[in-house]
Amino acid sequence: MTRISLTVDGAKVSDDVEPRTLLVHYLREQLGKTGTVVGCDTSNCGACTVHLDGRSVKSCNVLAVQADGAEVTTIEGLANNGQLHPVQEAFRECHGLQCGYCTPGMIMQSVDLLKENPNPSEEEIRLGLEGNLCRCTGYHNIVKAVQYASEHGGAQ
């Protein structure tokens, strides 16, 4: 076992973990952050996307021990005092989801995209989300949601 200490959604946590434990499994199984979804376990789908020190990563591709000392934000940590993050609100407003399985990862990647480029074109949005797969929507409303978020403070 290896002792790790990190900040998750603003709360400091310390735990003993097996060195081979993936960050996604640590978040879900030890911290109860089940909004971070296990989609493929091979980093292909992006459903497990979280922010690690402010950058989006696929948490099925990061060991929990690699997050030692880091700050992690999950989908549960985006809302502030009960107010949805502007990107969460945009996905709700534009119905940027269907079954919802990919939604947490899409939102986390979209937040990172808008931080890097607060006013992306449709093509830039599609390129920015290409590592996140949706098998239901055809992406039209997801792209609309990111455009809406960019116009309503999503780059915060």
Side-chain angles (χ1 to χ4, degrees):
M1 297 293 263
T2 301
R3 186 87 174 155
I4 61 170
S5 297
L6 59 156
T7 302
V8 179
D9 296 337
K12 294 191 181 304
V13 295
S14 290
D15 282 301
D16 292 322
V17 297
E18 290 286 339
R20 66 178 182 262
T21 302
L22 294 172
L23 182 58
V24 66
H25 296 300
Y26 171 71
L27 293 170
R28 290 178 59 80
E29 295 165 13
Q30 285 191 246
L31 300 183
K33 301 290 185 175
T34 56
T36 302
V37 180
V38 179
C40 65
D41 266 340
T42 60
S43 78
N44 287 318
C45 75
C48 66
T49 302
V50 298
H51 293 168
L52 181 63
D53 288 333
R55 300 290 310 179
S56 63
V57 297
K58 294 176 181 175
S59 61
C60 74
N61 205 30
V62 176
L63 296 171
V65 294
Q66 291 175 294
D68 186 33
E71 185 169 327
V72 175
T73 305
T74 69
I75 190 72
E76 289 98 338
L78 279 185
N80 188 8
N81 293 323
Q83 292 285 8
L84 293 177
H85 183 280
V87 176
Q88 290 173 305
E89 180 61 32
F91 269 67
R92 188 195 63 76
E93 182 69 28
C94 298
H95 199 69
L97 58 103
Q98 195 159 334
C99 81
Y101 202 80
C102 70
T103 305
M106 285 287 185
I107 289 174
M108 298 304 288
Q109 182 61 34
S110 297
V111 169
D112 194 41
L113 168 66
L114 292 174
K115 252 196 286 187
E116 293 292 316
N117 182 355
N119 192 24
S121 67
E122 179 179 339
E123 181 181 351
E124 290 168 327
I125 293 168
R126 290 182 183 279
L127 284 172
L129 297 178
E130 72 180 356
N132 291 70
L133 301 178
C134 175
R135 292 175 177 91
C136 301
T137 67
Y139 300 93
H140 180 73
N141 285 354
I142 293 170
V143 172
K144 278 179 35 182
V146 177
Q147 289 171 324
Y148 182 92
S150 76
E151 297 164 3
H152 295 88
Q156 69 174 4

